[in-house]
Amino acid sequence: MNNRRSFLSKALLSLPVLSSVPLFGQKKQVRKPIVISTWDSGIPVNEAAFEVLKHKDGRALDAVEQGARHIENQINCCVGLGGNPDRDGYVTLDASIMDDKMNCGAVAFLEDIKNPISVARKVMETTPHVFLVGEGARAFALKNGFKAEPKELSKEAEKAYKKWLKKSEYKPVKNIELEQNKALKNGPFAPNRFEDGSFNHDTMGLVALDQAGNLSGACTTSGMGFKLRGRVGDSPIIGAGLYVDNEVGAVTSSGQGEEVIRIAGSHLVVEFMRQGKAPEEACRLAIERLVKINPEKARDFQVGFIALNKYGEYGSYAVNPGFVFSVTTEPGNGKVIETPSYFK
Ligand code: GLY
């Protein structure tokens, strides 16, 4: 057998599909490993995560970091430094990560650093703190071996920014990835970039369950394009854009961060799962809570949650139609699933 085939067969042999463990007081079969992520751009992200998850001792924590790094490294994608700038023309990045032991780390308003998710992990693992922001986060990153990248916008972001400057309106568009499909440019991460320079949510959240049965999650974003300078969304806020409780499940979100922060969204979904709700139902209850605040306003923004529980069951729910998420249970089998929504 040639090397590649023998490698593949070894890797696949190490992938258990189902095992049975007692959880929440009952014995239930567990599907693992598994990774789910926001949007259809999650497919290659999940593949990167599976490079870790396919190994028997591969940790969900390493998997979600690798998945997030993968998309941060795509210079034409809006999640990392290639993303849309704030209204003063600077790209500022937010990220958070959480493991199976309630350890968590986050950075926000970080400039010039390519992999904010790894800086967040460094904060988690090497400091007594959870959250570093702005200049302090940048200084911490540089001190820890991260390189400062040139302060220039990607070609696409520059074009979008120039176009935006003509009107200078702050008007987030819901359902970016699907509704404006026709305006998309070519490329694997095209859904994040539009000919007309319109806004998008620029967020990649992913949560994973490894072969040992442990959960972790990561969330990374350049935030809302053309935001006020200094604005931070839900993604780096533990409990809002990301939450993991290894006894229950892991949740992350995409969409208009301000709305997610208002209800401490990801933590709320985990708490609903703790009460015994299935992942989709838990996401739905959180979305209903959010819509109830102002149903008319909710028609005009998008928020979607994705949730994975300790059994490897997953689900998602959004405010408006158009949100999708990606699920992968073995290398190469990623599928995109349409999320049900409150408004039809
Ligand atoms: N959900 C990403 C943000 O609002 O920044």
Side-chain angles (χ1 to χ4, degrees):
M1 193 181 285
N2 68 30
N3 284 346
R4 181 173 153 74
R5 279 180 61 194
S6 103
F7 169 77
L8 281 175
S9 59
K10 264 188 217 139
L12 291 174
L13 274 178
S14 73
L15 286 178
V17 177
L18 295 168
S19 68
S20 188
V21 297
L23 291 167
F24 303 131
Q26 47 177 311
K27 210 164 176 181
K28 209 168 168 180
Q29 287 204 310
V30 180
R31 170 169 285 282
K32 56 186 181 166
I34 178 170
V35 57
I36 67 172
S37 54
T38 54
W39 303 111
D40 46 358
S41 48
I43 294 288
V45 167
N46 290 359
E47 281 305 307
F50 246 93
E51 285 301 310
V52 177
L53 291 174
K54 71 187 180 189
H55 299 291
K56 207 166 170 14
D57 56 356
R59 288 183 72 195
L61 177 66
D62 294 321
V64 295
E65 183 189 12
Q66 287 314 312
R69 284 177 66 93
H70 179 83
I71 201 157
E72 288 171 349
N73 289 339
Q74 314 299 318
I75 194 59
N76 286 321
C77 171
C78 300
V79 162
L81 288 176
N84 282 331
D86 63 20
R87 58 186 57 191
D88 293 356
Y90 301 101
V91 177
T92 68
L93 305 179
D94 306 333
S96 62
I97 192 161
M98 191 158 183
D99 75 4
D100 54 298
K101 296 178 183 64
M102 291 280 162
N103 296 310
C104 46
V107 290
F109 194 40
L110 179 65
E111 292 180 79
D112 318 334
I113 304 291
K114 199 177 191 176
N115 294 120
I117 198 66
S118 296
V119 185
R121 181 166 178 178
K122 204 75 177 172
V123 172
M124 172 173 99
E125 290 180 336
T126 68
T127 80
H129 309 303
V130 165
F131 202 172
L132 295 182
V133 303
E135 262 312 303
R138 186 170 179 275
F140 171 81
L142 295 177
K143 204 168 161 191
N144 281 281
F146 293 85
K147 227 174 76 222
E149 303 290 332
K151 257 191 200 288
E152 57 197 36
L153 295 183
S154 66
K155 233 170 62 202
E156 294 294 339
E158 185 164 359
K159 214 163 88 185
Y161 182 53
K162 281 188 177 146
K163 193 154 192 174
W164 177 81
L165 279 174
K166 289 186 187 150
K167 283 195 183 165
S168 302
E169 266 178 357
Y170 185 68
K171 194 176 159 211
V173 172
K174 65 182 178 186
N175 296 332
I176 300 307
E177 302 233 355
L178 294 183
E179 284 189 357
Q180 300 185 12
N181 229 8
K182 293 194 188 78
L184 302 181
K185 300 196 86 167
N186 296 328
F189 296 96
N192 291 307
R193 184 64 69 194
F194 305 98
E195 291 281 5
D196 64 1
S198 49
F199 293 80
N200 68 56
H201 300 300
D202 306 334
T203 305
M204 173 52 59
L206 68 158
V207 288
L209 181 66
D210 62 27
Q211 295 191 40
N214 289 318
L215 291 159
S216 288
C219 192
T220 183
T221 187
S222 57
M224 309 287 277
F226 319 123
K227 59 198 172 189
L228 269 181
R229 184 146 177 80
R231 180 264 188 192
V232 171
D234 59 322
S235 303
I237 299 178
I238 299 297
L242 177 70
Y243 199 69
V244 179
D245 183 327
N246 203 43
E247 288 182 359
V248 178
V251 177
T252 187
S253 60
S254 184
Q256 203 154 309
E258 284 75 4
E259 307 306 327
V260 180
I261 293 170
R262 239 181 272 294
I263 60 160
S266 292
H267 183 261
L268 182 60
V269 176
V270 167
E271 290 309 299
F272 283 133
M273 290 198 288
R274 193 191 308 281
Q275 292 167 15
K277 308 293 184 214
E280 182 182 310
E281 192 185 359
C283 293
R284 179 176 60 76
L285 291 170
I287 291 289
E288 283 174 2
R289 175 91 54 99
L290 195 157
V291 171
K292 199 171 147 204
I293 298 168
N294 186 341
E296 272 321 296
K297 183 179 164 206
R299 287 183 183 279
D300 291 332
F301 65 74
Q302 181 63 298
V303 166
F305 293 109
I306 62 170
L308 176 66
N309 72 12
K310 196 66 183 160
Y311 304 123
E313 297 166 335
Y314 55 84
S316 175
Y317 210 81
V319 174
N320 281 289
F323 185 62
V324 295
F325 67 110
S326 301
V327 178
T328 302
T329 57
E330 51 183 80
N333 83 343
K335 59 181 178 194
V336 176
I337 299 178
E338 209 171 310
T339 291
S341 57
Y342 183 92
F343 295 110
K344 305 298 171 202

